Amino acid sequence: MSGIFRDTAVLQAVGGAPADPQARVPLTVAEPDGPARGAIVVLHESRVFSEPLLDLMRSLAEEGWVAAAPHLFHGRPAHSATEVFGESLFADFDATVHWLTSRGVLSDCVGVLGFDDAGTAALLVATNRPIGAAVSVSARGIVEPLSDDAPALIDAAPLLQAPWLGLYGEDDPSTPPEHVEQLRDATGKASVAALVVSYAGLAHRADEPLQVPDGQDDAPGVENIVDAQRRIFDWFDSNLR
């Protein structure tokens, strides 16, 4: 069984200035028992790492990946409404990648997995960072940008430089099916592989507990979760080589 441990990564300086070793982002990490085949940076907006999310990270580690999740709310007040998006999120991502590469992981064997607004960031990362693959789950901001410094996903998708997989629930009001269809069309203009998958309902989140009535283990939601997780694993298996 792959274990979970905590560490910190030094935030990289901007503009060529030396990095401040005291400026760090906390990390939660799951490592494989043997040699790592690569790494997945897991971006998540929750302040609390749920057991399903930790289970997903352990499962990634059991497949040979180092799963490293920066704590995106570090340094913010407990009840802050500040969005975990923009420059600070990318700084956390870059620090995590530096932490990984300093331990021997090759940059083209690093993938990114993001949920919600951090899933939006995962797509944007794949347009301007030297990574091997990206997966976004329930990424918002498809037609209208989430912030002034982030493009809408339909504008960013044609610029993808790394293979990207997007997973969506058809009943999610923040990502209407017609917007997801526009994103699907936009990814067709990219020069790399891209795939958008829609699931009926909302049961496609491997990072959240699945509510299943007693005795209904064959419910459609269970199948969706299994399929979504399989697609995530297969995407990284196929593209991080």
Side-chain angles (χ1 to χ4, degrees), residues 122-207:
L123 186 151
L124 298 180
V125 161
T127 69
N128 57 33
R129 295 296 196 278
I131 60 171
V135 177
S136 299
V137 182
S138 303
R140 302 189 305 124
I142 296 176
V143 175
E144 296 293 332
L146 286 179
S147 69
D148 293 339
D149 58 354
L153 295 189
I154 57 172
D155 296 326
L159 306 177
L160 283 166
Q161 299 178 25
W164 176 78
L165 169 67
L167 304 179
Y168 287 93
E170 292 179 352
D171 293 345
D172 188 343
S174 64
T175 57
E178 60 270 23
H179 290 185
V180 174
E181 190 59 34
Q182 290 182 58
L183 179 59
R184 185 175 283 112
D185 291 340
T187 59
K189 302 174 184 177
S191 61
V192 295
L195 177 65
V196 177
V197 180
S198 297
Y199 292 94
L202 291 172
H204 63 293
R205 298 286 300 251
D207 63 314

Side-chain angles (χ1 to χ4, degrees), residues 25-42:
V25 53
L27 305 176
T28 292
V29 183
E31 279 191 333
D33 292 333
R37 56 195 291 210
I40 311 297
V41 179
V42 181

Side-chain angles (χ1 to χ4, degrees), residues 28-232:
T28 292
V29 183
E31 279 191 333
D33 292 333
R37 56 195 291 210
I40 311 297
V41 179
V42 181
L43 302 179
H44 200 285
E45 289 192 311
S46 176
R47 291 180 181 272
V48 178
F49 282 65
S50 68
E51 197 57 36
L53 177 60
L54 293 174
D55 285 343
L56 175 62
M57 292 176 64
R58 292 186 186 98
S59 294
L60 287 167
E62 288 169 1
E63 292 294 316
W65 309 107
V66 180
H71 294 210
L72 300 179
F73 280 99
H74 71 96
R76 295 177 176 84
H79 300 292
S80 171
T82 304
E83 288 285 341
V84 187
F85 193 79
E87 292 182 4
S88 61
L89 188 147
F90 286 99
D92 291 346
F93 173 83
D94 291 340
T96 306
V97 171
H98 185 266
W99 184 91
L100 290 165
T101 56
S102 69
R103 285 157 176 75
V105 177
L106 299 177
S107 60
D108 59 356
C109 290
V110 174
V112 59
L113 169 61
F115 299 85
D116 300 312
D117 288 2
T120 303
L123 186 151
L124 298 180
V125 161
T127 69
N128 57 33
R129 295 296 196 278
I131 60 171
V135 177
S136 299
V137 182
S138 303
R140 302 189 305 124
I142 296 176
V143 175
E144 296 293 332
L146 286 179
S147 69
D148 293 339
D149 58 354
L153 295 189
I154 57 172
D155 296 326
L159 306 177
L160 283 166
Q161 299 178 25
W164 176 78
L165 169 67
L167 304 179
Y168 287 93
E170 292 179 352
D171 293 345
D172 188 343
S174 64
T175 57
E178 60 270 23
H179 290 185
V180 174
E181 190 59 34
Q182 290 182 58
L183 179 59
R184 185 175 283 112
D185 291 340
T187 59
K189 302 174 184 177
S191 61
V192 295
L195 177 65
V196 177
V197 180
S198 297
Y199 292 94
L202 291 172
H204 63 293
R205 298 286 300 251
D207 63 314
E208 294 181 350
L210 177 62
Q211 303 299 323
V212 179
D214 291 342
Q216 296 188 24
D217 292 342
D218 59 346
V222 176
E223 296 178 1
N224 286 351
I225 285 290
V226 172
D227 185 77
Q229 184 162 318
R230 177 187 60 79
R231 287 182 182 274
I232 291 170

